[in-house]
Amino acid sequence: MSAPAAPAVQAAGALVWRVRAGRLQVALVHRPRYRDWSWPKGKLDPGEAVTAAAVREVEEETGLAVVLGVPLPGLEYELSDGRHKVVHYWAAQVAGREDGTVLAARPRVTPAGADEIDRWEWCDVAAAARRLTRKADRRPLDALVEAYAKDRLDTRALVVARHGQARKRAQWDGTEGDRPLTSLGGEQADAMVPVLAAFGVARVVTSGWERCAATVAPFARAAGLTPEIAHELTEARHDESPARVAALVDGCLDARVDTVLCTHRPVLPTVLDVLATHARRPAANRLPAQNPYLQPGEVLVAHAAVTRRGTRVVAVETHRSTVED
């Protein structure tokens, strides 16, 4: 009987981009150990969310605090010791002044040593394609250039969060609005902080019921944000008027502010329907279609861009909580 395969080594990074004099540029790093030019990236720390690893690695290797945008094609390859490695990539932009409070929610980063990264540079994308040492590294670059050409690169995130695990209804004598998170749910709320910080969330909108408010409270405190209570996101108000939920989601998409919206499982179909009406077909196909749509503490990130056809959801990704049963 053969031994089970070792789990894949997970790594994350980003293609940090900017536009200068009408030219799209990206940041490349040089690794003296391998004498190569590549994207800032690195392995996940134990228990670290992949999105948090991506922004941490970029800051360690370039000194740039960034906000993640659309996901880009990743890479998979075999290591010299026979293990499989998976690298996840996102487009990213340098955080601006409006992201200052969000950066406060991130842990302090220790810069990489000169033996790991001895320099980094901004390069026009054509020059970057030539300078990259590994041909495979051009794949995420090609996707980034295509997204830029189609007005799908400069995005804002609408993060839809399902609250963390809550006490079961049968085990709670209080009101439905007061039903709290379990201890696991509290851990899931804490684990959501670095995920929301990675996407630069600067606005917190939540159902007023306790389990939702408590789920986003750790991030709001860490980022110095005041949550906006939207009672239409409660199960009871949604049953009365799904249209009000739809209008709220529409408003969040049009606001051009990275936003988290925390709600309940029965409300999710309405939220997802609105996202689908704004989404390109590839993005719409990535929206969850079956109950429970999202697991407790899971988030869905809808990346919205202002295109020639108006505000469009151009990419969708989901992230399970790093804390589960």
Side-chain angles (χ1 to χ4, degrees):
M1 185 175 180
S2 60
V9 176
Q10 299 290 326
L15 278 63
V16 187
W17 66 275
R18 70 180 188 181
V19 177
R20 288 293 183 274
R23 301 196 304 272
L24 180 62
Q25 299 181 331
V26 287
L28 292 180
V29 297
H30 184 259
R31 303 177 192 277
R33 184 183 310 168
Y34 305 106
R35 293 184 293 180
D36 73 353
W37 286 93
S38 60
W39 309 118
K41 66 180 184 301
K43 292 187 291 186
L44 274 64
D45 289 337
E48 187 178 31
V50 66
T51 51
V55 295
R56 174 183 56 76
E57 287 290 341
V58 170
E59 189 168 359
E60 285 181 358
E61 296 187 356
T62 67
L64 301 174
V66 300
V67 170
L68 299 184
V70 293
L72 297 172
L75 300 177
E76 298 186 29
Y77 51 91
E78 202 79 12
L79 296 172
S80 58
D81 60 5
R83 292 180 299 166
H84 193 62
K85 186 171 184 178
V86 178
V87 186
H88 306 266
Y89 284 115
W90 284 263
Q93 289 181 276
V94 177
R97 290 182 180 179
E98 68 276 9
D99 299 308
T101 57
V102 177
L103 299 182
R106 298 181 184 178
R108 187 181 298 275
V109 169
T110 301
D115 58 334
E116 182 180 355
I117 302 293
D118 59 356
R119 64 188 187 276
W120 70 274
E121 295 180 13
W122 288 108
C123 298
D124 289 352
V125 291
R130 294 191 296 269
R131 183 174 286 191
L132 286 166
T133 303
R134 292 172 56 91
K135 185 176 180 180
D137 279 341
R138 298 176 192 171
R139 184 167 173 246
L141 177 62
D142 289 343
L144 182 137
V145 171
E146 180 182 5
Y148 177 72
K150 295 181 177 180
D151 295 329
R152 300 173 188 165
L153 189 56
D154 188 10
T155 59
R156 297 295 181 270
L158 175 55
V159 184
V160 180
R162 181 180 172 186
H163 62 73
Q165 187 188 81
R167 289 273 297 273
K168 295 185 182 301
R169 287 179 171 87
Q171 299 173 351
W172 177 245
D173 295 329
T175 67
E176 183 63 10
D178 292 334
R179 185 155 59 90
L181 297 176
T182 63
S183 58
L184 175 63
E187 293 175 8
Q188 290 170 336
D190 290 336
M192 199 178 289
V193 173
V195 178
L196 299 180
F199 289 106
V201 167
R203 182 187 181 197
V204 178
V205 182
T206 180
S207 157
W209 285 3
E210 170 63 22
R211 51 194 181 275
C212 279
T215 295
V216 294
F219 173 74
R221 284 195 300 269
L225 299 172
T226 301
E228 301 173 28
I229 304 301
H231 293 292
E232 55 265 51
L233 290 174
T234 65
E235 294 181 37
R237 292 287 185 87
H238 171 261
D239 288 344
E240 294 173 2
S241 180
R244 291 184 179 179
V245 173
L248 176 63
V249 178
D250 274 326
C252 289
L253 286 173
D254 289 336
R256 298 295 291 164
V257 177
D258 297 304
T259 300
V260 61
L261 186 154
C262 188
T263 189
H264 310 264
R265 179 187 56 78
V267 184
L268 290 174
T270 298
V271 176
L272 297 174
D273 283 347
V274 175
L275 296 180
T277 64
H278 288 275
R280 297 180 58 249
R281 185 176 297 276
N285 289 342
R286 293 188 63 85
L287 293 169
Q290 295 182 331
N291 190 18
Y293 310 104
L294 296 174
Q295 297 297 322
E298 186 176 9
V299 301
L300 178 147
V301 186
H303 298 275
V306 177
T307 72
R308 299 175 184 90
R309 299 179 59 188
T311 301
R312 303 285 287 169
V313 174
V314 298
V316 169
E317 56 185 306
T318 56
H319 296 280
R320 296 283 291 267
S321 176
T322 55
V323 180
E324 296 181 332
D325 280 328

